Amino acid sequence: MMPEMLWKLLEITIIIALLIPMAAMLVWVERRVIGIWQDRHGPNRVGPFGILQSLADLLKILGKEDWIPPFSDRLVFILAPIIGAICVLMSFAVVPFSPDIGVSDLNIGLLFFLAMASLAVYSVVLAGWASNSKYALLGGMRAAAQTVSYEVFMGLSVMGVVLLTGTFNLREIVLAQSEGWLIQSQFVGFFIFLVAGIAESHRLPFDLPEAETELTAGFHTEYSGLKFALFFLGEYLGVTLISAMSVVLFFGGWLMPEPLSAWLPPLVWFIIKIMCFVMFFILLRTSLPRPRFDQLLKFGWMVMLPLALLNLIVTALLRLTGVL
Amino acid sequence: MNKEKLANSLIFSQLRTMWLVLKHTFTKADTVQYPEQKPYLAPRYRGRIVLTRDPSGEERCVACNLCAVACPVDCIALQQVVDDDGRKRADFFRINFSRCILCGFCEEACPTYAIQLTPDVELAEYDRQNLVYEKEHLLINGPGKYPDYSFYQQSGIVIAGKGKGEAEQERPPIDIKGLMP
Amino acid sequence: MLTDLATIDSLFYLAATVAVIASLKVVTGSNTVHALLYLVVSLLAVAVCFYLMGAPFAAGLEVIVYAGAILVLFVFAVLMFGLGKDETINAPKSKSVANMFGAMLLAFALLLELTVIINNAQIQQTLQANVVSSKAVGIMLYGPYLLAVEIASFLLLAGLLAGYHYAKPDVQGSQL
């Protein structure tokens, strides 16, 4: 009983201990890759190829004053970044990394992921409210409206996957794709999931809650030091999470077609697929401009919602007639 | 254009944008590795300000104050004195580079080509006071961008060794009391 | 030992206590947003209760729909109308550190409980045994309770139409 539990705790610790430095590395990767795409060099001074840049940034951010504004709501102000980081980290509990790595085989894994994604918005909304500043409040309100809207399509878009596999368990969803990845039949669902995922993780082009040009830094305007770092951690973990979920739901998780699967261990394939998605997210960030907020909501409710419903109905019909 | 067409062209334009950005993976970086590798700065680049001398080695500046007037941030201070030989020069000439925005207005205002901007941008200092340049810091031993120009040889002003009418493109003064045409 | 304590019954009562205390804090607090946060904690505790009773689907929906969506809208509304400011002026401003720890303690208890549940194989087995699968929920909803589902959906449709009506611009042809 006890050793088993200890093993589980060790597994959790290792996964967290790998995820957090990975998120830090992602900051560097993003800056380097954006640099390359913008015909610059990017940070390349600290360590070989600048690989230790994140470490230097972390040391700098630790040395900064951790300021809590006197006009803020102290408790909520401190709580907000913690909620954000914890919600994203909790979501990783249900991600199946490889045939035998994964914290929990929750039978409602997909629902758990959606639940954590919907709780993560509290982090942003509360940060915006507790900061007691206009920019932060506007950012928080934008985040609330945006997340509540896009959550709907995110939930609807993955229902096609649930229809085809017949389970909410993420590991079983991956195993059900051994015949062929779900992207073949669920392309529309994948597209909606990806767009909703970008909106949920407040990445460009949907980073309206923090839109620098309009709201200085949006919901984290008043944050500094370690709490600011926690927001950053949450954001980059969110990117990894959305990538991981896209891979699990639509691209067969750790599974690869026959000749390729023997070349590398499943975990490595999984990570390679995730990195492809992360690169795609970074590419989106470099190339696309930010829409106006009403355009964002209009696009959501008038394009994505009908599309998601149509995808669900067509999938159900095809499933009923036995085509899929 | 109707709405569907607009939406189509919108999505297409996004994809095209992403493709164009992706192509930049293989282009060379436009920036350089700065401290080791210096970027090329054109001769007319607007960097650190200098005071030049005319071809004979004398100061060009006549301390007319036009540069100080033109300066939008008021970073130039100077005072004129007239020497015994008739030349005007600046008693002191001070540029506060912590205020200077390197706009080049002073260079355009200068009637004698004395004040000039150079392609040197490395002005960083740890102590802000070190950014206040006095005349001896500003003055260089050369004519700068205009090697042949000498203000006193062009103007009609009398200095030691050059009387009235002896400047280039200047005719000797007419004796208005004489009878000859 | 922790594992001996962690029977389903004790965990259920812990979650229920958290829910009750948090609900009490909802109605006794003076700050609107704090009250809403306590409500979130309360709903999360209820979700844990559902999970422990073998209804993971209901627990998931509780978190997604109530804690995740509806209360976000509540918070949104509070931010929008600036309710917080008006009443904190009249309310007694208690500055003790004690009420800072209240919410933290409750949330921490929930977190502990979740970890214990996830890590305890015995509890997992018992849960799997009498679990109500999502399929069963669906069959129940579209079997015996079909009428209730239809009535609820009509109600929601009416709400949707009313919302659209209120949001409609006064002038014909202007932007929605």
Side-chain angles (χ1 to χ4, degrees):
Chain A
M1 193 67 225
M2 269 323 263
E4 195 185 321
M5 191 171 163
L6 278 179
W7 267 119
K8 211 69 199 171
L9 279 178
L10 192 68
E11 196 177 348
I12 294 172
T13 318
I14 290 173
I15 287 177
I16 290 181
L18 287 179
L19 274 175
I20 290 176
M22 212 198 77
M25 282 298 286
L26 214 53
V27 181
W28 169 73
V29 168
E30 174 161 41
R31 289 175 64 187
R32 258 337 272 273
V33 171
I34 286 182
I36 289 169
W37 282 331
Q38 293 178 346
D39 292 350
R40 301 183 280 117
H41 288 279
N44 60 353
R45 294 278 158 167
V46 195
F49 301 106
I51 205 161
L52 299 177
Q53 181 69 43
S54 292
L55 192 68
D57 287 347
L58 184 73
L59 286 177
K60 186 200 76 175
I61 222 164
L62 285 180
K64 290 212 168 190
E65 183 188 1
D66 201 357
W67 188 60
I68 297 173
F71 46 82
S72 70
D73 188 314
R74 243 184 108 80
L75 166 66
V76 182
F77 190 82
I78 297 168
L79 212 58
I82 301 173
I83 294 176
I86 284 185
C87 281
V88 182
L89 278 175
M90 289 280 272
S91 303
F92 276 101
V94 291
V95 174
F97 288 94
S98 79
D100 31 46
I101 303 176
V103 177
S104 173
D105 275 340
L106 213 56
N107 50 7
I108 50 156
L110 192 51
L111 283 185
F112 185 81
F113 160 71
L114 289 173
M116 284 304 140
S118 60
L119 285 186
V121 67
Y122 278 112
S123 151
V124 179
V125 175
L126 294 179
W129 177 76
S131 296
N132 201 0
S133 105
K134 287 186 184 67
Y135 290 130
L137 186 67
L138 282 171
M141 303 221 321
R142 281 183 176 188
Q146 174 179 335
T147 321
V148 168
S149 306
Y150 277 76
E151 223 169 67
V152 178
F153 331 132
M154 193 184 222
L156 280 176
S157 65
V158 293
M159 284 310 132
V161 173
V162 176
L163 257 175
L164 293 180
T165 56
T167 175
F168 280 108
N169 186 324
L170 289 174
R171 188 170 294 274
E172 283 171 25
I173 288 178
V174 172
L175 290 176
Q177 298 179 53
S178 50
E179 302 292 307
W181 296 349
L182 278 171
I183 180 76
Q184 297 165 357
S185 52
Q186 284 294 309
F187 184 76
V188 180
F190 165 68
F191 173 70
I192 298 164
F193 180 81
L194 201 64
V195 173
I198 300 164
E200 290 270 300
S201 56
H202 315 305
R203 288 285 298 180
L204 277 133
F206 297 146
D207 73 331
L208 286 120
E210 43 192 302
E212 291 88 355
T213 38
E214 307 147 32
L215 301 180
T216 41
F219 61 90
H220 54 58
T221 305
E222 306 290 341
Y223 280 85
S224 62
L226 206 54
K227 292 201 258 314
F228 179 73
L230 264 182
F231 271 124
F232 240 74
L233 181 76
E235 179 180 335
Y236 281 90
L237 280 177
V239 172
T240 323
L241 179 68
I242 296 294
S243 309
M245 289 305 290
S246 307
V247 171
V248 165
L249 292 173
F250 299 99
F251 286 84
W254 65 82
L255 296 169
M256 280 303 272
E258 205 32 77
L260 292 169
S261 59
W263 291 0
L264 290 168
L267 181 63
V268 178
W269 276 122
F270 189 60
I271 291 173
I272 289 175
K273 287 183 192 174
I274 287 181
M275 282 322 287
C276 290
F277 271 96
V278 169
M279 285 296 157
F280 179 72
F281 275 115
I282 299 174
L283 178 61
L284 276 180
R285 178 184 170 164
T286 357
S287 44
L288 296 188
R290 189 184 297 131
R292 225 167 48 216
F293 192 66
D294 61 319
Q295 289 171 335
L296 176 80
L297 287 188
K298 205 169 187 173
F299 176 69
W301 289 106
M302 299 209 168
V303 179
M304 302 302 270
L305 182 66
L307 212 59
L309 283 173
L310 201 69
N311 176 50
L312 186 59
I313 290 169
V314 169
T315 311
L317 276 178
L318 291 179
R319 179 78 176 166
L320 212 61
T321 50
V323 179
L324 284 170
Chain B
M1 197 188 275
N2 61 23
K3 272 194 174 156
E4 285 92 53
K5 248 185 173 171
L6 193 71
N8 282 340
S9 70
L10 264 176
I11 283 290
F12 175 72
S13 86
Q14 314 293 350
L15 292 176
R16 184 168 168 275
T17 312
M18 280 157 66
W19 168 243
L20 289 178
V21 171
L22 195 61
K23 278 206 295 194
H24 277 257
T25 316
F26 305 107
T27 48
K28 209 173 147 294
D30 285 335
T31 50
V32 294
Q33 300 285 340
Y34 167 59
E36 296 93 41
Q37 204 183 338
K38 306 278 181 192
Y40 169 72
L41 297 179
R44 290 192 185 183
Y45 195 91
R46 297 202 304 263
R48 183 169 54 87
I49 299 173
V50 293
L51 286 176
T52 55
R53 293 173 187 273
D54 62 18
S56 61
E58 298 288 336
E59 289 171 26
R60 267 180 181 155
C61 178
V62 293
C64 64
N65 259 316
L66 281 177
C67 50
V69 169
C71 183
V73 291
D74 285 345
C75 69
I76 305 178
L78 69 157
Q79 192 167 30
Q80 191 179 55
V81 287
V82 185
D83 283 352
D84 295 339
D85 60 359
R87 283 177 178 264
K88 291 168 179 171
R89 61 176 177 83
D91 188 29
F92 66 87
F93 198 106
R94 190 175 298 138
I95 296 181
N96 184 351
F97 277 104
S98 63
R99 289 182 68 89
C100 178
I101 55 174
L102 303 175
C103 64
F105 283 7
C106 48
E107 182 177 10
E108 302 210 3
C110 185
T112 65
Y113 292 142
I115 193 163
Q116 291 180 13
L117 275 73
T118 57
D120 172 26
V121 289
E122 292 171 340
L123 280 165
E125 293 282 354
Y126 282 105
D127 187 1
R128 195 168 290 181
Q129 202 57 41
N130 293 346
L131 282 168
V132 178
Y133 279 41
E134 294 293 341
K135 190 175 170 186
E136 63 262 33
H137 308 125
L138 293 165
L139 212 55
I140 60 166
N141 278 329
K145 282 177 257 188
Y146 306 94
D148 303 325
Y149 182 78
S150 172
F151 168 70
Y152 285 109
Q153 298 309 317
Q154 304 283 331
S155 72
I157 195 165
V158 177
I159 52 167
K162 193 205 82 170
K164 270 243 183 280
E166 288 173 16
E168 294 166 25
Q169 302 173 20
E170 195 185 21
R171 273 177 278 173
I174 295 169
D175 181 8
I176 51 172
K177 290 181 179 158
L179 288 172
M180 294 301 288
Chain C
M1 283 305 293
L2 197 61
T3 40
D4 297 330
L5 277 172
T7 60
I8 288 190
D9 278 347
S10 62
L11 287 174
F12 177 83
Y13 284 119
L14 181 56
T17 321
V18 170
V20 169
I21 297 173
S23 309
L24 281 177
K25 293 289 276 186
V26 173
V27 286
T28 53
S30 60
N31 190 322
T32 330
V33 174
H34 287 185
L36 280 172
L37 287 185
Y38 275 113
L39 193 53
V40 174
V41 173
S42 163
L43 287 171
L44 290 180
V46 172
V48 173
C49 287
F50 274 132
Y51 188 79
L52 289 171
M53 288 195 290
F57 193 71
L61 287 189
E62 173 97 14
V63 177
I64 296 176
V65 175
Y66 286 98
I70 293 181
L71 277 178
V72 172
L73 282 183
F74 266 57
V75 174
F76 186 69
V78 170
L79 299 188
M80 197 91 141
F81 302 127
L83 291 178
K85 200 169 269 174
D86 300 341
E87 69 212 304
T88 34
I89 293 169
N90 333 348
K93 189 113 186 167
S94 95
K95 290 212 162 119
S96 70
V97 195
N99 38 348
M100 252 183 67
F101 286 108
M104 275 183 181
L105 205 67
L106 294 181
F108 183 72
L110 271 184
L111 185 69
L112 199 70
E113 196 168 343
L114 268 177
T115 351
V116 170
I117 292 169
I118 288 174
N119 288 316
N120 196 317
Q122 195 188 347
I123 289 182
Q124 284 289 343
Q125 274 167 9
T126 339
L127 283 178
Q128 303 287 343
N130 56 358
V131 80
V132 184
S133 70
S134 40
K135 197 170 185 177
V137 173
I139 289 171
M140 285 299 268
L141 280 181
Y142 285 92
Y145 296 108
L146 184 59
L147 193 62
V149 172
E150 286 303 320
I151 290 172
S153 61
F154 266 114
L155 192 65
L156 287 176
L157 185 64
L160 190 69
L161 288 177
Y164 179 73
H165 177 74
Y166 279 120
K168 221 169 57 163
D170 294 335
V171 186
Q172 206 67 36
S174 62
Q175 282 280 308
L176 184 65

